[in-house]
Structure formats: C-alpha cells, structure tokens
C-alpha cells in the first residue's frame, strides 16, 4: 500500500488540473442514453476493493486492480470475495444515505456497478457524463481507468469512444464521501453529507466535430448588443458557425479560429428583455456543417450603480429566500426536476423574485426552471466556514468548482450572482484565498455580480459592523446575521442595534432567521415556537430596514432541512428548524410575515413591467 499511495495522489492532482473544467454545454439538449436506474453497490469501509487483499494493485496503468477488474468470479477456481451482480441495488440518481437505512450516517467508500448494452456508431464520439457525485469518484469503464474527480456538486465527463464495447459494457465507480479538512467543503458543515451518484449519468453521442461550449448573453450594461463565443471540438480547420434567434429576427455567421473558437456580437434593435415579471426566453440555435444545438435563452442586464442593483437598467429589490438542494417531502437529495419545482413554487408563493441556492451548486436543470419561472438566482460554491486556507490544492479545487459552475450556468438569465463563499472568517490566512476566488470569478464572468455571504461583527453594544476587507472585491456586500437567535438578546430587543457598513455598495442580507418546530405554539419568548420565529422576523424587518443601501434579503431558510448537527430531541431530531415551511410542507407563522413584507417591497420598488 505504501508504494502506490504517492501515485494515487498525483492522479488526483492531475485530474484537478485538466478534466474538471471541460464538459459539453447544455448536455440535456443533446442526443444521449440515460444511464440512470438501478446500480449495484458494495459498501467497503476498509477499501478492500481498492487496495486488494494483499496490499496493493497499482493504479499506474490503464488497468485498475481490485473491484474495478471483474464484476464477479471469472472461473470456478478463482478466489473472489465479492460479486457485483448479486449485490443489492440503489437508485441512480440518489444518495445512499436515504436508500439503505444502515447507511444513514455512513461516510466512507461505496462501490457502484452498472451494466448496459450499447452499439456505438463508427462515425460518432461518445462522452460519459456525471452531473454530480459526492465527493470523490474513481471511475472505470470495461476495466479501463477513466479518471478521478473530486468535488460533490459539479459535472464532469470523459470521452469513452475508444473504451466502449459493441454490446455489453460495465461501469465501476468507487465513491467516497469522507469529510476531509482539505476538501471543499471542509470537514465541518451544517447539512447532511449525502454520498453517492446524486445526479444524472448520461452517455452522450456527438459527431466527430461538435459544438462543445457557447455563451450567448447581452454585453455588460448594454441592452443593445448580444455577444458571446462558440467553442468547437474536433475541428482542425476554420468552420462557419451560424447563430440564429429567429423570433427576434437576429442572426450572424462567424468563422472559428485555429483553436475552434469564434467570438461574435449581434446588434439588437428590438428585444423583449427577461425579467421576473416577464421571463421571456428566445429559442437560440447554433449550427455548423456537422452539428447543431438549440437553447432557450433570456436576455437581461445586471449591474450595480451606487447602492442600486439594476436589472435591465431599473432598480430592483431582491425579495429572496435561501434553499438547500433537498426536498423535505422525500428522503435525501432531489431525484428529478419536479422535486426542485415544488421548492421554487413555494418561493413564488412567498412572493419572492430571488432565491439563494446555498451552499453549493444545485442541479443544472433547476437554473433552467428558474429561467422559465422568472426567479433570479444566487449560485454558490461550498467555500464554507474554515476551509484549509493555506493549502494550494484546496484553492485549486475551489477555483475549479467556481469555474465549472460558471461554465455550466453562464447562459441562464436567472443567475445574477456568483457567490464565492459563506461565512469565511476574516483572518489573515484567508485573504489570499478569497481574493483569488473573487478575481477568478470576475475574470470568468464580467456580466454578473460577484458576492459572498460575509460575517457581521458586534462592534459595541449597539453597533453591528460590516468591515470585512473582502467587501472591496465584491460587487454586492452580503452578510449573515442572526440577531434575536444566536445573539443580540430576545427578538424584541434587537431594535437597539444600528449598522455600520464600510462599503457604499448594494447590500443583501444573505441570512437571517430563527428556528421553529412547525405546529409548536407558545409565547414569543419560547425558543422553537412558531411565535418566537415570527417575532424574530417582525423585529428583523424593522432592524434591516434601517440599512440605507439594502437591496435584498434571503432569509435562512425556505424549508426545514436535515442536519446531523441539530439533535435537540424535543424540537430538532436531525432537522435544522429554521425553515419557513416545516418538513411536512406546513407553512409556519413567519412565512406570512415575510410574504407581507415582500408585497410591500414589491410596491415600493414598483419594477417597470416590460
Ligand atoms: C449559518 C450558515 C448556515 C446554517 C445556519 C444556521 O450561518 O450559513 O449554513 O445552517 O447559519 O442554521 O445556523
């Protein structure tokens, strides 16, 4: 074992630098075979299937040892102490914690195996795509190593044209969700550590030369110019690329350069702009000689000016709420887009125009849903609390995650904020890391706003101060504060506070809230009663209304969610109870307080209807 360890680590580092940020744009619009369904699994806390019984089978060459090699015994005399084909099965997509009661708290290795029959076409190329596996995945196809991916919420893929068999194929994956200090997120966080293949698995069929990536959006602060790029793959000579938006009467033809890339601008005369009130999307098609893809894209601008956030040039107030990627009505991670729809519909009922998708990238299809429903989004990477600040590979990992998130959702009108982290403490060793993250996010997308959920500090007995130097690097200053719950006394005492915010920028309160067990009623001094939570909301609305630059709020959180940190037996039992909606879907009193506030805010800001 000793001998192979350095080799495995170097593979992980290699994969971080190469495979992660490169995947096919808009995969759901492509021709693909879904590999979702029942997958065999073997729980392997000792990693026996990896290291072999006698120490090690090296990982250097194409052939992997251990469980990667065979599904079951190959000859009657072979000694083999596992059998994938007789192993039980799990649903993919789906975490293992919610599907096998022995795995509720499991953190370690689980092996997955899946057989599929396929007949590749000689003139096509094939890509095996994983939309998210939490956290680390070693992947093989037909006993050939494909690679390794670390990071639980972003997509990755491998070209498998050469590895596919005509007929039977099998995939073996070692998944490990052990929390580690150097990971992103680190080993301490307030949500369930769901392990496994949590999102769709697809085998995409592409032509030899295809459209790999594109961005088509309005230029920064410019309602009169659509701009973007198209990146081809498998093309070694210039090709014509046609971009067509028929309903708007817009089109252009450009030629790719030697690297298969073309940039373009299209002047706009008349266009219906996307907004929450009118989530207009246009059908956009991109065509080359060998390939074509269509998308539905909304066009809007987002920028800041002084204290204001301007959507299509008009000041907007972000009536938001936070969301985990968890639908309380089913166990575990959402399985399909309808699970997400339920959550976004609840946000609409609350009169929201904005949702913070905390604390990691959610499902790619959810942003499309938000596009169609007219909900603005804050998307985030899990740089949460105390990351391993001085570890270079941790920074590279975090940068890959923000790169992949931006790369995946850059065509979504709904997404207006990229968040580079949550409640990272303002300590010297963190500055370089977070500044690098802010610079990367700005460089990757200058058309959206960069923010992070900062921490508020209690300067004296009546001042809440926001002075985190990272604020200088952000377009919007956002911070979390739990006055009336974790600090500041009883709910009705918090009005003595005032804010001192060191930046003249728009402000979003990215978290505020209190816990309540749905259906538990008492007076407003009783913790975990709906009345206590309601009182926090009523008083917080007064408190935060003192902030001159306030342009949005996303209270914590729309629905109760599972967290192993929350074990009060009377009220929590493994649930964080700060939801405005209970785990059974019942709206708590505070829901209506916030809804009412949002109705007033909507009138006050009276966003122009297009
Ligand atoms: C926070 C965190 C969030 C927690 C929440 C809480 O500040 O950002 O992830 O779940 O507080 O409930 O304490």
């Amino acid at each position: 074992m000793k001998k192979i360890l350095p080799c495995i680590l170097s593979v992980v580092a290699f994969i971080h630098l190469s495979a992660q940020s490169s995947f096919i744009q808009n995969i759901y619009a492509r021709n693909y075979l879904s590999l979702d369904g029942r997958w065999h699994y073997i729980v392997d806390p000792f990693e026996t299937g990896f290291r072999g019984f006698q120490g090690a089978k090296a990982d250097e060459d194409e052939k992997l040892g251990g469980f990667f090699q065979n599904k079951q015994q190959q000859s009657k005399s072979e000694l083999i102490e596992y059998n994938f084909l007789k192993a039980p099965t799990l649903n993919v997509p789906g975490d293992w914690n919610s599907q096998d009661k022995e795995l509720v708290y499991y953190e370690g290795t689980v092996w997955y195996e899946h057989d599929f029959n396929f007949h590749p076409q000689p003139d096509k190329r094939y890509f095996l795509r994983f939309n998210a596996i939490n956290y680390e995945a070693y992947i093989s196809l037909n006993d050939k190593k494909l690679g390794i991916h670390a990071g639980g919420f972003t997509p990755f893929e491998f070209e498998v044209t050469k590895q596919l068999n005509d007929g039977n194929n099998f995939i073996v994956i070692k998944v490990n969700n052990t929390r580690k200090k150097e990971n992103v997120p680190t080993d301490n966080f307030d949500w369930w550590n769901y392990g496994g293949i949590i999102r769709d698995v697809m085998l995409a069929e592409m032509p030899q030369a295809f459209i790999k990536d594109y961005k088509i959006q309005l230029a920064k602060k410019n309602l009169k110019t659509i701009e973007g790029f198209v990146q081809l793959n498998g093309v070694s000579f210039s090709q014509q690329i046609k971009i067509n938006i028929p309903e708007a009467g817009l089109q252009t033809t450009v030629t790719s350069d030697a690297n298969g890339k073309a940039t373009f601008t299209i002047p706009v005369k008349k266009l219906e702009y996307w907004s929450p009130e009118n989530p207009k999307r246009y059908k956009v098609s991109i065509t080359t000689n060998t390939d074509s893809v269509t998308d539905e894209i909304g066009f809007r601008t987002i920028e800041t000016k002084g204290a204001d956030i301007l959507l299509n040039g008009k000041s907007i107030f972000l009536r938001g709420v936070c969301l985990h990627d968890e639908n309380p009505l089913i166990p575990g991670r959402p399985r399909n887009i309808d699970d997400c729809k339920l959550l976004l519909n609840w946000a609409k009922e609350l009169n929201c125009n904005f949702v913070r998708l905390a604390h990691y990238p959610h499902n790619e299809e959810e942003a499309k849903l938000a596009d169609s429903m007219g909900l603005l989004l804050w998307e985030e990477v899990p740089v949460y609390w105390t990351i391993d600040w001085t570890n270079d590979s941790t920074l590279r990992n975090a940068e890959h995650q923000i790169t992949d998130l931006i790369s995946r959702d850059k065509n979504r009108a709904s997404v207006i904020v990229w968040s580079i982290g949550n409640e990272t403490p303002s300590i010297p060793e963190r500055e370089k890391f977070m500044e690098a993250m802010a610079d990367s996010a700005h460089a990757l997308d200058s058309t959206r706003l960069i923010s992070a959920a900062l921490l508020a500090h209690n300067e004296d007995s009546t001042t809440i101060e926001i002075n985190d130097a990272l604020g200088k690097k952000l377009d919007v200053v956002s911070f979390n504060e739990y006055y009336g719950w974790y600090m500041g006394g009883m709910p009705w005492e918090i009005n003595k506070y005032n804010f001192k915010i060191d930046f003249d920028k728009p402000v979003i309160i990215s978290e505020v809230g209190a816990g309540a067990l749905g259906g538990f009623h008492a007076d407003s001094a009783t913790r975990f009663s709906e009345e206590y939570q309601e009182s926090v909301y009523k008083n917080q609305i007064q408190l935060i209304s003192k902030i001159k630059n306030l342009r949005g709020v996303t209270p914590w959180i729309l629905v109760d969610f599972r967290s192993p940190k929350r074990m009060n037996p009377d009220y929590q039992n493994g649930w964080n109870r700060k939801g405005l909606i209970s785990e059974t879907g019942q709206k708590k009193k505070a829901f209506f307080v916030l809804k009412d506030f949002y109705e007033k805010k909507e009138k006050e800001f009276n966003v122009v209807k297009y």
Side-chain angles (χ1 to χ4, degrees), residues 12 75 87 117 143 153 159 163 172 176 180 231 275 324 396 472 481 496 505 513 531 541 558 581 596 601:
V12 174
S75 73
N117 203 276
D143 189 25
F153 303 98
E159 178 160 13
Q163 290 88 344
V172 175
N176 187 298
K180 292 182 187 159
Q231 175 68 56
S275 72
H324 262 295
R396 276 205 303 279
K472 283 194 211 115
E481 56 92 355
K496 64 176 186 239
K505 297 185 179 187
E531 287 69 17
I541 285 169
L558 183 65
I581 298 178
D596 187 52
K601 272 287 165 200

Side-chain angles (χ1 to χ4, degrees), residues 552-571:
V553 49
T554 52
W556 191 255
I557 182 169
L558 183 65
V559 250
D560 290 355
F561 63 97
R562 295 173 186 90
S563 169
K565 281 181 174 297
R566 310 290 172 169
M567 283 303 168
N568 180 320
D570 291 323
Y571 306 114

Side-chain angles (χ1 to χ4, degrees), residues 190 359 384 422-423 482 486 511 556 561 566 576 578:
D190 185 24
H359 285 298
Y384 183 94
N422 177 73
E423 291 187 352
Y482 282 90
Y486 289 128
E511 284 178 36
W556 191 255
F561 63 97
R566 310 290 172 169
N576 184 315
K578 295 191 190 71

Side-chain angles (χ1 to χ4, degrees), residues 46-72:
F46 288 8
E47 301 233 292
T48 299
F50 191 47
R51 59 178 88 189
F53 287 89
Q54 287 147 11
K57 297 198 177 170
D59 188 33
E60 298 106 11
D61 55 21
E62 274 225 319
K63 276 200 172 283
L64 291 157
F67 286 6
F68 289 108
Q69 220 155 17
N70 294 313
K71 293 183 275 190
Q72 59 181 357

Side-chain angles (χ1 to χ4, degrees), residues 322 356 378 421-423 451-457 464-468 474 476-483 498-503 505-512 540 543-544 547 549-550 552-555:
C322 290
R356 175 182 176 210
W378 158 309
N422 177 73
E423 291 187 352
S451 198
L454 305 177
L455 285 161
H457 295 284
I464 302 168
E465 181 151 14
I466 316 302
N467 56 7
D468 186 333
L474 306 176
V476 175
V477 172
S478 310
F479 62 91
N480 302 348
E481 56 92 355
Y482 282 90
Y483 284 76
N498 282 296
F499 291 91
K500 181 170 175 296
I501 299 174
D502 286 7
F503 310 93
K505 297 185 179 187
V507 169
I508 296 178
I509 308 285
S510 36
E511 284 178 36
V512 58
Q540 274 286 352
L543 176 67
I544 65 177
I547 302 172
N549 288 10
L550 188 74
V553 49
T554 52

Side-chain angles (χ1 to χ4, degrees), residues 197-441:
I197 308 176
I198 58 169
R199 296 194 188 133
D200 293 332
V201 183
M202 314 151 102
L203 180 64
E205 183 177 85
M206 309 298 283
Q208 293 295 334
F210 65 91
I211 299 158
K212 175 136 190 202
D213 197 8
Y214 56 86
K215 181 176 183 184
I216 304 177
Q217 295 277 284
L218 283 171
K220 193 178 169 70
K221 301 185 187 185
N222 185 341
L223 289 161
K224 292 289 168 204
T225 308
I226 291 175
E227 66 173 19
F229 72 86
V230 178
Q231 175 68 56
L232 306 179
N233 182 288
V235 189
S236 54
F237 52 89
S238 302
Q239 266 218 4
Q240 292 223 315
I241 305 167
K242 197 187 270 183
I243 296 122
N244 195 4
I245 313 173
E247 198 192 330
L250 297 172
Q251 71 166 56
T252 188
T253 302
V254 284
T255 307
S256 61
D257 65 16
N259 300 317
K261 187 168 180 174
T263 55
F264 62 87
T265 54
I266 310 177
V268 168
K269 283 209 182 81
K270 192 167 173 287
L271 202 59
E272 254 183 79
Y273 296 108
W274 185 99
S275 72
E277 294 74 28
N278 179 24
K280 169 71 188 168
R281 291 173 303 156
Y282 287 90
K283 193 172 154 204
V284 177
S285 66
I286 307 167
T287 313
T288 67
N289 287 344
T290 56
D291 193 19
S292 80
V293 61
T294 58
D295 203 340
E296 287 196 70
I297 297 183
F299 296 101
R300 55 102 195 91
T301 56
I302 191 79
E303 64 192 284
T304 65
K305 194 172 177 196
D308 283 322
I309 297 174
L310 306 179
L311 179 75
N312 300 326
K314 307 278 178 334
S315 179
I316 186 169
F317 188 89
L318 300 171
R319 310 184 305 270
V321 74
C322 290
L323 216 64
H324 262 295
D325 191 26
E326 193 183 84
N327 170 346
L329 303 186
I330 59 150
R333 289 271 175 233
R335 310 278 164 76
N336 58 48
I337 199 62
D338 287 336
D339 290 332
C340 303
K341 203 178 232 168
L342 176 89
L343 302 171
L344 295 188
N345 274 330
W346 276 334
K348 283 285 234 190
E349 258 189 76
L350 187 60
N351 204 10
C352 289
N353 60 5
F354 183 51
V355 175
R356 175 182 176 210
L357 300 181
H359 285 298
Y360 40 76
H362 291 210
N363 197 320
E364 150 169 13
E365 291 292 271
E366 194 167 356
K368 285 191 187 158
L369 188 61
D371 270 10
S372 72
M373 292 173 71
L375 280 166
L376 296 156
L377 294 180
W378 158 309
E379 294 198 339
E380 187 162 301
V381 286
V383 176
Y384 183 94
W385 292 351
T386 49
I387 292 285
D388 197 359
W389 302 118
T390 52
N391 185 331
D392 283 346
S393 78
T394 304
L395 174 58
R396 276 205 303 279
N397 182 340
E399 285 184 321
H400 272 293
Q401 295 197 39
I402 192 83
T403 305
D404 288 349
L405 176 62
I406 293 177
S407 175
R408 195 192 74 178
D409 288 350
K410 60 182 174 286
N411 291 306
R412 303 284 67 92
S414 51
V415 181
I416 54 166
V417 178
W418 304 120
S419 164
I420 57 171
N422 177 73
E423 291 187 352
T424 58
S426 177
I427 49 173
E429 55 269 40
R430 159 273 215 181
E431 305 311 337
K432 217 174 97 195
F433 190 110
M434 291 309 282
E435 285 177 11
M437 288 292 288
D439 290 343
S440 300

